[in-house]
Amino acid sequence: MQHSLKIASLKNSLQLPLKNNELEYYGVVNYQLADSLLILTEKFLDKKFRNNERGLVKIIFSSFVEMVQNVADYTEKKLVADGLPSYLSLRIEANEVVLKTSNILISPDIDAIENRLSRLAIMGANDLMENYKKELFAGGSLGLIMLHKLKNSEFTWATENDPNNKNWLSLKLKINYGKSAH
Amino acid sequence: MENLHIEPYLQTPEVNFDSETGIMFISGKSYPADAIEFFQPLIEWAKQYSKDPKKKTELICEIEYLNSASQKQLVELLLAFKPIYDAGQEFLVKWKFEEGDDDILSVGELVEHELEIPFTYEEMEF
């Protein structure tokens, strides 16, 4: 009961809707928000999965960390001055966990990000590992490579314009696990 | 030189760097969004220590979580300690990870291979 109350209190402070199997946030995602949300996510996953599923929880959590921190990083560099919001979601379904992020892209960045994601999407395991090594030691961005390397999962992305002519990048990661959550 | 001690916090590990014993210890979860800010004092300390190290230096890493930003900073930290090994003095990384955590294990193996410094590996419970 105490654990549930702590989660409820954290969700309340972040103004998150109280859903049984989902964490969801819409607003400015700066480093501080990202840190708080990820602490909440850790507690949420520990509550939802059994003790003997730590391996699965770590995979889900590590993936969400990369996705959320990607958004926070981009927000801090490009969006925070204008107070532009992003969307984050982690939802536990019957046989999979679905992680989603959506954030605005400023126009000069669209081509580069689309090219990078397109290139990663067609890489095999060996190429992904080579890219991972290169980025790890050259100080590049590892998060997207790590998401592509994940087994038993499906990673998709899309960019689209909204009615206000803002460009959005959406990332979606589905991690298959079977009927383990309760 | 002064030892470096940082208490573990929600997303950052415990750090104990002891210049008298030559034993360096990082333990716990590391997933801060701004890993550079967290690791910078560790890297600066390592650079200073490497100028006048003990006869034997051990870096013990007990890693439960390691986000990508921390992985990069850990590489920088090892590069800051590497001059000790390159100068022919004893330097060893003890890489400890949760049983079954192939991701953390493979990070250690990759870094060992690329930086060419000695690692040992041990599974543990968190």
Side-chain angles (χ1 to χ4, degrees):
Chain A
M1 179 57 129
Q2 207 165 1
H3 194 74
S4 299
L5 283 175
K6 274 190 186 166
I7 291 177
S9 150
L10 276 167
K11 278 186 170 181
N12 209 39
S13 68
L14 293 171
Q15 297 178 322
L16 296 179
L18 286 177
K19 297 181 191 175
N20 192 33
N21 285 331
E22 182 173 8
L23 287 177
E24 194 180 29
Y25 177 81
Y26 179 77
V28 176
V29 179
N30 55 21
Y31 285 147
Q32 192 179 12
L33 187 288
D35 284 350
S36 299
L37 184 73
L38 289 172
I39 291 162
L40 171 63
T41 303
E42 217 184 334
K43 294 181 192 300
F44 177 76
L45 289 172
D46 282 344
K47 185 173 178 283
K48 286 306 192 184
F49 289 90
R50 296 182 182 89
N51 282 340
N52 64 352
E53 288 164 327
R54 271 186 61 80
L56 174 62
V57 167
K58 282 178 98 170
I59 288 168
I60 296 166
F61 181 68
S62 302
S63 303
F64 200 52
V65 165
E66 296 306 323
M67 291 174 79
V68 169
Q69 289 183 343
N70 250 347
V71 174
D73 223 33
Y74 191 79
T75 298
E76 291 279 357
K77 287 172 186 160
K78 309 275 177 104
L79 307 177
V80 74
D82 295 318
L84 294 172
S86 301
Y87 173 78
L88 311 171
S89 157
L90 183 155
R91 190 172 73 246
I92 299 173
E93 296 180 351
N95 294 305
E96 61 188 11
V97 177
V98 183
L99 315 179
K100 284 189 202 170
T101 64
S102 290
N103 62 274
I104 290 167
L105 288 181
I106 61 171
S107 299
D109 293 337
I110 297 170
D111 283 350
I113 289 174
E114 284 184 337
N115 286 340
R116 180 169 162 79
L117 285 164
S118 297
R119 275 199 326 269
L120 286 172
I122 60 172
M123 277 187 196
N126 288 340
D127 285 337
L128 281 171
M129 180 48 97
E130 285 308 307
N131 265 268
Y132 172 81
K133 259 197 265 182
K134 185 179 143 200
E135 303 287 344
L136 177 62
F137 294 97
S141 173
L142 287 175
L144 290 175
I145 300 174
M146 286 168 68
L147 296 172
H148 275 86
K149 281 171 70 199
L150 204 58
K151 292 175 188 155
N152 298 321
S153 68
E154 181 192 338
F155 180 84
T156 54
W157 64 275
T159 51
E160 59 185 321
N161 252 11
D162 71 10
N164 298 317
N165 212 32
K166 293 262 188 283
N167 304 293
W168 287 81
L169 168 68
S170 296
L171 304 183
K172 185 169 162 182
L173 178 67
K174 288 188 192 178
I175 301 171
N176 302 313
Y177 68 85
K179 294 176 185 175
S180 303
H182 58 285
Chain B
M1 62 184 288
E2 264 191 48
N3 294 340
L4 177 65
H5 176 71
I6 302 173
E7 286 290 329
Y9 194 54
L10 296 161
Q11 294 164 303
T12 52
E14 181 177 4
V15 175
N16 263 313
F17 286 359
D18 191 325
S19 60
E20 284 305 308
T21 63
I23 297 187
M24 320 300 164
F25 187 72
I26 301 175
S27 175
K29 303 172 188 179
S30 184
Y31 66 94
D34 193 353
I36 293 174
E37 190 186 358
F38 178 77
F39 275 88
Q40 200 51 41
L42 281 64
I43 292 165
E44 288 309 312
W45 193 99
K47 284 179 182 170
Q48 201 56 36
Y49 173 83
S50 297
K51 291 176 187 171
D52 185 22
K54 288 295 170 193
K55 199 171 163 199
K56 181 178 174 180
T57 303
E58 260 182 24
L59 173 62
I60 304 169
C61 297
E62 295 179 351
I63 305 292
E64 188 178 351
Y65 276 129
L66 199 62
N67 68 347
S68 59
S70 295
Q71 289 179 31
K72 284 184 282 189
Q73 292 307 304
L74 203 56
V75 166
E76 295 302 319
L77 179 64
L78 286 167
L79 284 169
F81 278 122
K82 192 167 186 286
I84 300 171
Y85 183 70
D86 290 343
Q89 287 167 294
E90 216 175 320
F91 179 74
L92 177 69
V93 178
K94 291 188 172 177
W95 192 257
K96 299 186 182 184
F97 54 97
E98 191 161 8
E99 189 184 337
D101 193 336
D102 292 338
D103 291 331
I104 300 285
L105 168 60
S106 66
V107 169
E109 289 174 334
L110 178 62
V111 173
E112 176 189 18
H113 182 257
E114 295 295 316
L115 296 189
E116 297 180 323
I117 49 180
F119 271 57
T120 62
Y121 298 91
E122 188 181 325
E123 284 180 334
M124 62 179 283
E125 272 190 41
F126 282 95

